[in-house]
Amino acid sequence: MKKTFLITALIALVVFTSCNKNKIDGVYNPKEKIDKIYWSNDDISKCLLEDWTWKDKQLKTIDYYSSDGTIESTNRFSYNGDRLIQVDNYESDACMKYRYDHKDRLSEATFSYNGMLMEKYDFEYDGNELSDIKWTIYEDWALSNDNRMNPLRYMLPELSLESIKKAAKKSPLRSNVVIEIDIDWEGNNISELEYDAGDYSEKLVFEYDNKKNPFRGFLGLYFDELILVHGNFASKNNVTKIIITEDYKGISATDTEVISYTYDGKFPVTRSYDGSTDYFEYE
């Protein structure tokens, strides 16, 4: 399986209005629809990772595969009209539900496992631009981590699951942990992301290419933290560099991650990072 890199977990879909492209309204209708995603690294040859099924304009299911070719998990998407309202993973009995405000913006996401509320996300806007997320973990992080679930996958540009785990584990609380996430934009791309969990904080600074991000408007759930997910749901372009600065009780450390792409026209067909490569096929 893939080495943990920069990750985030459950699925929602969003699109941005013509007057303000940083509003989240729960609709995903990309110009190029992903059909299949493959993956390889220095030790494992190219293998199927994800198989996407569409009906007209709506994504209906994603099948996730292990490196030996067996299906590990399937996500199923439910809509109210064009807006995504729920994602279920029946193999693990996990569920993500989405609510929207009177301006049709994503306002709340709740994540449950076996019927128990695990996590809640509250979304705030500056005008129609997503500016803050408050993430509350209700149950012991170890339980959520054991099931390898993180509803922030796909939601933010290549957000690091490892860093989130550090923040949660260093909290003096084992439940009711609150992590504040602040988002800054440059045009239609997220430029900086900061999150604070008390003694532990982290800042991520992003650089982009000038090509189209096929996952813009897409949030997703995947249950294996070893898989590099697509990330970058909100930004128009593809992340090429991430500068990560973490601070714990006044002690700081900085790391840099670099991602490279090949393209077919305006969209990426491969993405390489840390000795691994993703391959994208479109319908």
Side-chain angles (χ1 to χ4, degrees):
M1 298 295 292
K2 300 169 74 172
K3 178 182 177 182
T4 300
F5 175 65
L6 296 173
I7 324 178
T8 58
L10 215 241
I11 273 183
L13 305 166
V14 296
V15 97
F16 306 89
T17 63
S18 58
C19 60
N20 191 314
K21 298 182 185 300
N22 301 328
K23 170 187 173 182
I24 305 174
D25 68 3
V27 180
Y28 178 55
N29 184 22
K31 290 183 179 179
E32 294 288 341
K33 294 180 172 62
I34 293 291
D35 180 31
K36 292 180 174 58
I37 300 173
Y38 296 82
W39 169 83
S40 70
N41 69 5
D42 295 336
D43 300 317
I44 299 176
S45 58
K46 183 177 176 181
C47 57
L48 180 63
L49 191 65
E50 301 180 14
D51 189 357
W52 294 35
T53 300
W54 299 78
K55 183 178 180 181
D56 298 324
K57 295 181 178 180
Q58 289 185 341
L59 178 64
K60 291 300 185 180
T61 63
I62 299 179
D63 293 325
Y64 299 95
Y65 290 78
S66 64
S67 58
D68 64 6
T70 59
I71 294 180
E72 290 185 332
S73 181
T74 299
N75 284 341
R76 293 173 174 84
F77 303 86
S78 300
Y79 300 85
N80 181 4
D82 292 331
R83 179 176 293 124
L84 182 77
I85 57 172
Q86 186 165 323
V87 182
D88 293 282
N89 185 287
Y90 297 124
E91 288 81 356
S92 59
D93 198 22
C95 175
M96 194 81 169
K97 294 182 179 181
Y98 302 93
R99 298 184 184 219
Y100 303 86
D101 64 17
H102 67 285
K103 294 184 178 180
D104 294 329
R105 302 174 303 190
L106 179 65
S107 61
E108 178 185 285
T110 54
F111 175 63
S112 60
Y113 176 68
N114 278 334
M116 179 171 60
L117 179 62
M118 302 289 290
E119 300 169 14
K120 179 172 176 282
Y121 301 81
D122 294 290
F123 300 84
E124 298 180 4
Y125 297 82
D126 182 2
N128 268 337
E129 185 173 84
L130 178 64
S131 59
D132 298 276
I133 301 173
K134 183 173 78 171
W135 173 22
T136 305
I137 304 171
Y138 292 105
E139 297 297 328
D140 194 315
W141 175 257
L143 175 60
S144 181
N145 188 40
D146 285 347
N147 290 286
R148 294 177 291 187
M149 302 169 187
N150 181 355
L152 280 181
R153 284 182 186 164
Y154 296 95
M155 291 180 52
L156 301 170
E158 308 290 356
L159 187 61
S160 170
L161 181 60
E162 287 302 309
S163 297
I164 294 174
K165 288 193 294 184
K166 288 179 187 177
K169 288 180 177 179
K170 287 178 179 177
S171 169
L173 303 174
R174 298 308 298 158
S175 61
N176 295 319
V177 176
V178 177
I179 298 177
E180 300 283 351
I181 301 172
D182 180 72
I183 300 168
D184 291 329
W185 297 81
E186 183 174 339
N188 295 324
N189 291 321
I190 291 178
S191 58
E192 294 185 6
L193 182 150
E194 296 185 65
Y195 60 91
D196 183 9
D199 288 339
Y200 182 86
S201 63
E202 184 162 309
K203 178 179 180 179
L204 294 88
V205 179
F206 304 96
E207 295 182 10
Y208 295 85
D209 62 14
N210 61 358
K211 303 295 186 180
K212 299 288 187 180
N213 167 24
F215 301 102
R216 189 181 191 204
F218 173 72
L219 306 173
L221 165 64
Y222 185 57
F223 292 87
D224 192 331
E225 70 185 25
L226 299 179
I227 299 298
L228 172 68
V229 300
H230 320 301
N232 207 22
F233 90 104
S235 297
K236 178 179 180 179
N237 305 117
N238 304 290
V239 173
T240 57
K241 181 186 288 187
I242 311 158
I243 301 171
I244 307 163
T245 303
E246 54 183 342
D247 183 280
Y248 180 57
K249 293 185 175 180
I251 300 175
S252 297
T254 299
D255 190 18
T256 299
E257 303 288 353
V258 176
I259 306 100
S260 60
Y261 303 83
T262 62
Y263 306 93
D264 182 4
K266 295 182 178 180
F267 289 89
V269 290
T270 69
R271 177 180 60 192
S272 299
Y273 52 89
D274 198 29
S276 298
T277 301
D278 294 322
Y279 307 82
F280 306 123
E281 290 187 358
Y282 300 91
E283 286 192 346

